[in-house]
Amino acid sequence: MGNFIKLRGMRDILPEEIKIWKKIENTFIEISELFGFEEIRIPILESKALFEKGIGTDTDIVMKEMYEFKDKKGREVALRPEGTASVVRSYIENKIYEKKKISRFYYLGPMFRYDRPQKGRYRQFYQFGVESFGGRSPYFDGEIILILNIVLEKLGIEKFVFLINSLGCKKCKNEYVKNIKNYFKEKFDKFCEDCQIRIERNPLRVFDCKNNMCKYVIKEAPTIFDFLCDDCKKHFDILTSFLKKFNVNFEIDPKLVRGLDYYTKTVFEVFSGDLNIAIAGGGRYDNLVKEMGGPDIPAVGFAAGIDRMISLLNVEEIEKDEVIYCIFLGEKARIKGFEMMKELVDNKIKIECDYEDRSIGEHLRIADKNGKKWCLILGENEIEKGVVILKNMVSGYQEEINEKEIIKVIKEKIK
Ligand code: HAM
């Protein structure tokens, strides 16, 4: 170990892990783009006030988990703990609503939360997410849930379930909050100190508490369903019928409130297998654009935790590297071989080469150890015969290929 080690809750993602990260990212990008979402890149650093306004000052994220500091000019800034507040800021600041009635964005990147590090919980973690602006119809909610469902299925994540709830519109949410506040007040002494403050300031946040006693009282609390107005009920029913039609595995969880303040109507989280923390979460936030100074425009979105998804994937199953590992024996072969490699690269075939002088045995051992599937071998004999050897490292089978046919043969093998 050198003189420096990484900070607590941070981690390196090394080249051997990148393949699986890229698989997740590329699958998400492919599906989002097929559904008409466009990439947006937002800053990692924003004003602290943006997240206070966007996520809510009483949330754990803002109260306990923000990486916040003063910059050289004394401005209060924060590393983004999530993407939604920034996308909304950008949407308003760039007046995107003037150009399009419906805008669909996707984003990927690191987020920062000063949480207690443990399995599946990092201080720098990675999300991919979508935000869809301008649509009030429940089909917009259905669309993003379907995108996430397709991505998770395509990645082979097993036994995942969407927990779904509605928090109602401003009117029914307010009614519910009033009611739940009274209910919690009756049981005030049973709550932890934090929750006693939450009951006064923001009663819905009591639902985030991990304390067993609080959890017990919450279990018995009234649910939002008794307070939903007709419009919110209809929204929820259309959405659940849609999910059934598309075979999305979901359960209704009337106690799901999510840990961020901006939600209205639909909220959801995704759980899978043994992991008892969510791999994704999202919902509708019809008032946030207006609350942040923009026009009255509804929106819905989700974000998924890539780090958590990685821990659920079978890395062994991701195919071996299709790179062509080139072995050139001697100076003449290196020169001739380089021309060959250039041709491979021109044809979008990935190559890798170790130019050091080693025996063929040593080269093959290195290729095998590094998980390479194909070796292209060129020595003086092969140059004289106008051929090259292609060796499959998995089966051990090798064949001589005419040097003029290399591209054609390799393309057939690795397609
Ligand atoms: P969130 O539920 O706070 O929602 O985060 C989404 C996902 O990010 C979580 O389900 C989890 O997989 C991952 N995640 C959160 N914290 C950590 C952590 N400390 N370590 C590893 N992974 C973590 C949001 O961020 C909202 N912006 C989602 C959204 C978008 N709602 C509407 N649009």
Side-chain angles (χ1 to χ4, degrees), residues 82 84 113 120 122 127 131 258 262-263 278-280 301 305 308:
E82 58 114 46
T84 312
R113 293 185 194 175
Y122 303 97
Q127 283 186 345
E131 313 293 349
R258 306 267 301 125
Y262 46 64
Y263 293 110
I279 51 173
R308 292 185 187 171

Side-chain angles (χ1 to χ4, degrees), residues 63-101:
M63 277 203 318
K64 303 180 188 163
E65 298 168 5
M66 282 239 281
Y67 266 94
E68 49 185 80
F69 54 95
K70 286 198 172 106
D71 72 5
K72 288 192 194 298
K73 277 262 164 76
R75 284 174 290 238
E76 303 240 34
V77 294
L79 293 177
R80 61 181 187 196
E82 58 114 46
T84 312
S86 301
V87 177
V88 171
R89 186 219 18 88
S90 173
Y91 179 73
I92 301 170
E93 193 174 340
N94 294 295
K95 295 198 173 68
I96 297 173
Y97 48 85
E98 284 183 355
K99 295 169 216 149
K100 268 174 145 185
K101 274 233 171 309

Side-chain angles (χ1 to χ4, degrees), residues 250-291:
F250 75 94
E251 284 168 22
I252 296 170
D253 177 358
K255 296 281 161 62
L256 182 75
V257 295
R258 306 267 301 125
L260 306 97
D261 274 352
Y262 46 64
Y263 293 110
T264 52
K265 293 191 178 164
T266 313
V267 282
F268 60 89
E269 279 184 354
V270 185
F271 288 83
S272 166
D274 302 332
L275 207 65
N276 62 359
I277 36 181
I279 51 173
R284 187 164 267 284
Y285 46 98
D286 286 348
N287 305 326
L288 187 62
V289 178
K290 192 158 182 224
E291 279 165 11

